[in-house]
Every structure is written in C-alpha cells, then in structure tokens.
Amino acid sequence: MDFAKWISFCSVIILIYIIWQVRKILLLVFTAVVLAITLNLLVEKLCKLGLKRGYGVIIATVTFLIAIALFFVIVVPSLVFQFQELLTLLPQGIDKIIFQIEKIKNNLSPEISDSFPDLEEILPQVQPIINDLLTRGFNFVSGFLGALLSGVLLIALTLMFLVEPTPYKQGFVRLFPAFYRRRINGILNRTEKDLEEWLTDTFIKIIAVSILTFIVLFILGIPLIAVQALLAGILSFTPYIGPIFSIIFPVAIAFIYSPWKPWAILIIYILIFCGVDRIIIPKLRPHRVNLIPANVIIAEVIFASFLGLLGLFLVVPLTIISQILLEEILIKDIFDHWQRKN
C-alpha cells in the first residue's frame, strides 16, 4: 500500500471515530430532519390547496408550536397522573399473574409441575433488572435540564430545516466530489420520498391503533383507557418490540378484575396490530415502503445497542436510509462496477 492509500485509510478511520464521538448530536439532527419532513407533508397539502409555500410554512410552524404547548399543558399532566396509577396497579396485576401460574402448576401432575421454573428463584434474578431500570429513571430525571435543552435545540433545527431546506441540502451535497453530486442529490430525493411514505403510513397506524385499543379497553371495562390507548399508538411507531410492550400493561391490569379478560385483550391486541398492518394500511396506502421483517428486528438490536432508546424509537427511518445507502452506493455504484484487474 503506497503513501496516498495509507493517508486515505487513516482519514477514513479518523472520520469514523469523529462520527462515533458525535453520534448523539447526529441522531438529534436526524430527528429534526424527520420532524421537518413530517411538517413538510402538511405544507405540501396546503400548497395543493392553492396556498403559497411561505404561508404554508407559517401555518405548519404555528400548528407545530401550538400542538407542543397544548401537549405539555393539557395532555402531559393527565397522562402523568394516569401513568402513576398505572404503575401502582401494575404490581397487583403481576401478583395476580404469579398466582394464576402457581394455581396452574398445582393442578398439574408433580412430574410436569417440577419442570416449570420456580418463581421464587426467578424473582431475585429479575430484581437487578428492575433496579437498573429505576436507576435509569433517576438518571433521566437528573438529566432533565439537558433533555430540555436538547428539546429546544431539536425544535429550532426542525423549524430551520422546514423554513429553508435547500441550503442545508446543497451544503450536504457539496461535501462530495463534483462528479458524484448529481448522484447524491438523486439518492437524497429518493430518501426523502421513502421517508414521507413511511411517515404517512405511521400516522395512519398510530391513529388506528389508538382508536381501536381505546374502544376495546372501554368495552372490557379496563381502567386508565386514555393513557393505555395512547401508549399503544405511540409504541406502534417501533415495529414488533413496541406492540409487545404495549400489551404488557393492559394484560397485567386486567388480571386484577377478571381471569378471562387478559386473554381476550391479548388476542384482540394481536388482531388489532395485524389488522392495521395487513388490512387497513394496505387498503389506504397501496404504495408502501416495504422492509424485510428480519432486517427490521436486526436493526432494532443494533441501533438500540449503539444509539440507545432514541435509536430504537427511530429504527424504521434509520433502516430505510441504511437500506437505500446499501442499495444505491455500495451495490449499484461500487459492487456493480467492480472489475477484477488482470
């Protein structure tokens, strides 16, 4: 390897190291980009109605700020109160689950019941995990000021990207060699289009899941309907893992009131999530961004490990971008043109 190649190799290593060190800032910027694309959907709808883009941006910005204000003034206090009650009822539901499991074990033959793990041995092993979650919660509270500053920065970046996106896009394109800039611009356009398609599908999913779970919990008489329906809708933002966590709360609480309601909730929740993904969204959105389920699950593990909770929450847009970069740059631009030298 000659000197120039060594310099290039070292430069790539240094660049990767710098990106790793500032990964949290880059993730914050990426979140702002996703929010800007979300608000831009509203701006485009207003433009199609005959409104100028400048007025559409103002309306979208004011709507965004009012929605944030109303969320923290009206929705958050109610949700915090209900969530506290939810955490109070959750241990009772878990005790009921343990009681039901022990009851089932007692009705089985000794040979079969002995094969089940002893809950008294499992609970001490779960205790360190609970303590770790509590520690993370206290760290979150202690870092509230940092989270608040990050939130303000996120809103500022989102509005800047929304008001005048062209300079930021052109500045990013200019980071690449001149011969490759048109190609990068095309890749960015495809990325933006796919993210818009996914965001539209996600909005439909969140609204449908929230409404359907609210109706189901209301019919079954499960308390704290609003917070549980909202949790189910928000957690549906993260595929596979989110729906699993959304089922835990209503099932555990339902054990307090009835032995059959938890199983009904479990079955109905599965039908809701499957029905929204397989029936409602395909009917409303024939052109969707298709992701292989195994790739999404692997991406959830990877992004959660390296980027934390926000990386897990943004796993789908990160997977979409990773898939486009692999397909357009690595496969089409590198591997498809790779020729063996004689």
Side-chain angles (χ1 to χ4, degrees):
M1 185 180 292
D2 56 22
F3 181 73
K5 290 182 179 180
W6 271 111
I7 292 296
S8 301
F9 178 75
C10 293
S11 301
V12 171
I13 297 299
I14 294 173
L15 179 61
I16 293 174
Y17 176 77
I18 294 174
I19 292 175
W20 175 255
Q21 293 298 320
V22 298
R23 64 189 185 279
K24 292 184 179 179
I25 298 176
L26 293 177
L27 190 61
L28 186 68
V29 173
F30 177 72
T31 306
V33 171
V34 173
L35 287 175
I37 293 175
T38 304
L39 294 176
N40 191 57
L41 292 174
L42 176 59
V43 174
E44 290 180 352
K45 292 291 184 183
L46 294 173
C47 291
K48 290 180 180 179
L49 296 176
L51 204 64
K52 293 184 178 180
R53 178 172 175 82
Y55 294 114
V57 169
I58 293 174
I59 294 174
T61 302
V62 172
T63 304
F64 178 56
L65 295 176
I66 291 176
I68 293 176
L70 291 176
F71 181 77
F72 281 99
V73 172
I74 299 176
V75 179
V76 169
S78 176
L79 289 179
V80 168
F81 176 75
Q82 292 191 38
F83 194 74
Q84 289 175 346
E85 291 188 6
L86 187 64
L87 294 179
T88 303
L89 293 174
L90 189 60
Q92 302 178 30
I94 294 175
D95 290 338
K96 287 284 187 179
I97 294 175
I98 295 174
F99 174 77
Q100 292 292 333
I101 293 175
E102 292 291 343
K103 185 177 179 180
I104 293 173
K105 285 177 61 177
N106 294 332
N107 293 330
L108 297 174
S109 62
E111 293 80 6
I112 299 178
S113 61
D114 291 339
S115 63
F116 283 87
D118 191 356
L119 294 176
E120 295 180 358
E121 296 178 359
I122 294 177
L123 292 178
Q125 299 175 11
V126 176
Q127 190 64 36
I129 300 176
I130 298 175
N131 293 335
D132 179 64
L133 291 175
L134 291 175
T135 303
R136 290 176 182 268
F138 286 122
N139 290 338
F140 172 78
V141 174
S142 63
F144 176 75
L145 181 59
L148 181 62
L149 293 175
S150 298
V152 173
L153 178 60
L154 177 63
I155 294 174
L157 289 173
T158 300
L159 296 181
M160 285 190 291
F161 292 154
L162 175 67
V163 173
E164 196 62 41
T166 304
Y168 303 103
K169 184 177 180 180
Q170 291 178 347
F172 179 78
V173 171
R174 290 179 66 85
L175 294 174
F176 295 86
F179 73 91
Y180 201 67
R181 288 171 185 169
R182 179 177 294 181
R183 174 70 172 144
I184 285 296
N185 190 66
I187 294 174
L188 289 178
N189 291 334
R190 180 191 167 184
T191 302
E192 182 179 1
K193 180 181 178 181
D194 285 359
L195 287 176
E196 288 178 351
E197 293 291 335
W198 166 75
L199 283 167
T200 305
D201 295 345
T202 302
F203 287 145
I204 296 174
K205 180 188 294 186
I206 291 174
I207 294 172
V209 169
S210 299
I211 293 174
L212 292 174
T213 52
F214 184 92
I215 295 173
V216 168
L217 295 177
F218 176 78
I219 294 175
L220 294 176
I222 305 300
L224 308 175
I225 303 173
V227 67
Q228 295 193 72
L230 185 60
L231 274 176
I234 294 175
L235 290 175
S236 66
F237 192 87
T238 303
Y240 308 117
I241 293 180
I244 292 174
F245 278 101
S246 68
I247 293 175
I248 294 175
F249 291 99
V251 167
I253 293 175
F255 267 107
I256 302 174
Y257 301 96
S258 173
W260 63 268
K261 286 184 179 181
W263 308 110
I265 291 176
L266 179 62
I267 295 172
I268 294 174
Y269 262 56
I270 294 174
L271 293 176
I272 287 175
F273 285 108
C274 292
V276 170
D277 279 331
R278 302 297 178 89
I279 300 175
I280 295 178
I281 295 181
K283 289 289 185 182
L284 299 176
R285 303 279 302 169
H287 302 290
R288 303 178 59 193
V289 178
N290 293 319
L291 296 173
I292 300 174
N295 291 346
V296 177
I297 295 174
I298 294 172
E300 286 177 335
V301 175
I302 295 174
F303 290 129
S305 301
F306 289 102
L307 301 176
L309 186 61
L310 186 56
L312 177 63
F313 191 70
L314 295 173
V315 65
V316 177
L318 288 171
T319 304
I320 291 173
I321 292 178
S322 301
Q323 181 173 288
I324 292 175
L325 293 179
L326 288 174
E327 179 182 342
E328 297 291 339
I329 297 178
L330 185 63
I331 297 176
K332 291 184 179 181
D333 294 347
I334 298 178
F335 288 166
D336 288 352
H337 298 280
W338 197 321
Q339 296 180 355
R340 180 182 296 178
K341 294 182 179 181
N342 295 326

